[in-house]
Amino acid sequence: MTTPNGRIPQDMHTHNRISCDSQATMEEMCQSALERGITEIAFTDHFDCHPDDYCHHFYRPAAYFEQLAAARHVFEPQGLTIRAGVELGEFHRFHDVQQPVLDQYPYDVILGSLHWVGDRSVFDDDFFKNAPPQDTIGAYFRELAELAQYGGFDVLSHPDVIKRVAYRVYGEFDITAWEDLVRPVWQACIDNQIAIEINTTGLRLPVQQAHPAPDALRWYREMGGERLTVGSDAHRPDHIAYEFETARTMARAAGFTRLCRFERRKMVEWMDI
Ligand SMILES: [Zn+2]
Ligand SMILES: [Zn+2]
């Protein structure tokens, strides 16, 4: 598959009201995707199991697949491929609950996310206010490596999400200070054939940087990492494909010329960018 005019036509990380933190319907998200030139979208709703997580016990796979079938019926004839996805929180800790659901339903792509470092949320300002960066950012990358080493999912999502709040509290975020902790994460992804994601959410936040940071994306490529996807992490229609020109520029600058397409948990095709 080739992309016209150097655009990125896939958005592999989006949410809708199956996620506890989104009000959008799949129909609204699909409509927006078509308007933005997207031809492949994955709905990757939150399946979070940390007992203190806001979304704990919210995920409803049966309702998800029902709504997905309805959206496919309307939008696939219009040229939009809709992938069945899910965003798993802390699979290395909660696989006993999550794996049976993965076995039961026909997912195309599974995102692995880390939103909790031990029992601290990466979105909680107090976690950062009371600790030095080594105990927050450092601990995050160590646990992210554990998650990637555990494996069992297809794409590591927003692989430095910690910087959203870290930047706000510490006033800076420099990925080069964490290179020794990021490389083991990438090595585990490469060993387990896990793709990484360019997630553009950070570009609409004060940190003003996609996930991962451009230098880290370059390290992944230099280490032999090939598998890459792009996602907006949109929770509302106007964020679909957000800043994808920047994502493409970043991917090309790091040495990538293609992205992965997933179907039924397999990487089925490369997409030139
Ligand atoms: Zn997430
Ligand atoms: Zn997400």
Side-chain angles (χ1 to χ4, degrees):
M1 183 170 176
T2 323
T3 61
N5 312 318
R7 295 179 62 176
I8 289 180
Q10 71 166 199
D11 192 336
M12 296 302 286
H13 187 156
T14 73
H15 296 269
N16 63 86
R17 64 187 184 189
I18 293 286
S19 292
C20 68
D21 53 357
S22 170
Q23 302 300 316
T25 64
M26 282 190 194
E27 289 68 24
E28 290 167 330
M29 298 300 267
C30 288
Q31 194 60 49
S32 172
L34 284 176
E35 286 162 10
R36 287 164 168 77
I38 294 295
T39 57
E40 178 179 35
I41 188 171
F43 286 112
T44 53
D45 289 296
H46 292 293
F47 184 4
D48 285 310
C49 298
H50 192 285
D52 295 333
D53 199 286
Y54 177 61
C55 294
H56 186 214
H57 286 318
F58 195 86
Y59 188 60
R60 292 162 292 138
Y64 171 86
F65 276 94
E66 219 170 88
Q67 291 176 31
L68 194 85
R72 279 176 167 162
H73 182 73
V74 174
F75 290 96
E76 293 209 329
Q78 299 181 51
L80 183 65
T81 299
I82 304 176
R83 301 296 188 191
V86 62
E87 180 178 2
L88 300 178
E90 300 79 41
F91 186 58
H92 61 309
R93 295 175 66 184
F94 303 114
H95 49 88
D96 286 356
V97 180
Q98 293 164 332
Q99 186 64 50
V101 175
L102 303 188
D103 292 340
Q104 194 184 342
Y105 291 94
Y107 289 102
D108 292 309
V109 60
I110 309 292
L111 309 186
S113 286
L114 190 69
H115 299 129
W116 291 82
V117 178
D119 287 326
R120 301 306 303 263
S121 165
V122 301
F123 304 119
D124 175 10
D125 284 46
D126 289 339
F127 175 38
F128 300 87
K129 282 176 184 159
N130 300 319
Q134 193 54 241
D135 294 351
T136 55
I137 301 170
Y140 166 81
F141 282 119
R142 284 188 195 92
E143 189 159 351
L144 194 64
E146 280 176 44
L147 173 66
Q149 282 155 7
Y150 187 82
F153 54 92
D154 307 311
V155 181
L156 184 69
S157 50
H158 48 54
D160 62 3
V161 71
I162 189 101
K163 71 186 173 192
R164 293 186 195 169
V165 178
Y167 174 84
R168 240 182 27 229
V169 175
Y170 298 137
E172 61 171 32
F173 180 85
D174 177 6
I175 194 66
T176 61
W178 305 102
E179 182 173 351
D180 290 351
L181 295 180
V182 171
R183 285 184 181 268
V185 177
W186 291 164
Q187 193 57 56
C189 288
I190 292 165
D191 293 346
N192 285 331
Q193 297 200 305
I194 295 169
I196 68 166
E197 159 190 277
I198 297 180
N199 180 308
T200 57
T201 304
L203 292 167
R204 54 173 188 261
L205 298 173
V207 70
Q208 286 290 299
Q209 218 180 60
H211 312 283
D215 282 329
L217 186 64
R218 185 172 47 77
W219 302 332
Y220 172 70
R221 187 74 197 95
E222 286 168 2
M223 291 171 69
E226 286 194 306
R227 293 184 173 209
L228 185 69
T229 63
V230 174
S232 63
D233 212 345
H235 286 64
R236 39 185 257 207
D238 59 320
H239 284 161
I240 296 268
Y242 184 81
E243 289 269 9
F244 273 18
E245 301 78 8
T246 305
R248 179 177 183 272
T249 304
M250 207 178 127
R252 300 280 309 190
F256 290 91
T257 56
R258 54 191 193 171
L259 303 175
C260 297
R261 304 187 75 200
F262 286 92
E263 189 174 344
R264 290 298 186 101
R265 307 280 327 265
K266 289 202 164 46
M267 209 288 275
V268 289
E269 202 180 5
W270 293 103
M271 169 192 285
D272 295 330
I273 55 165

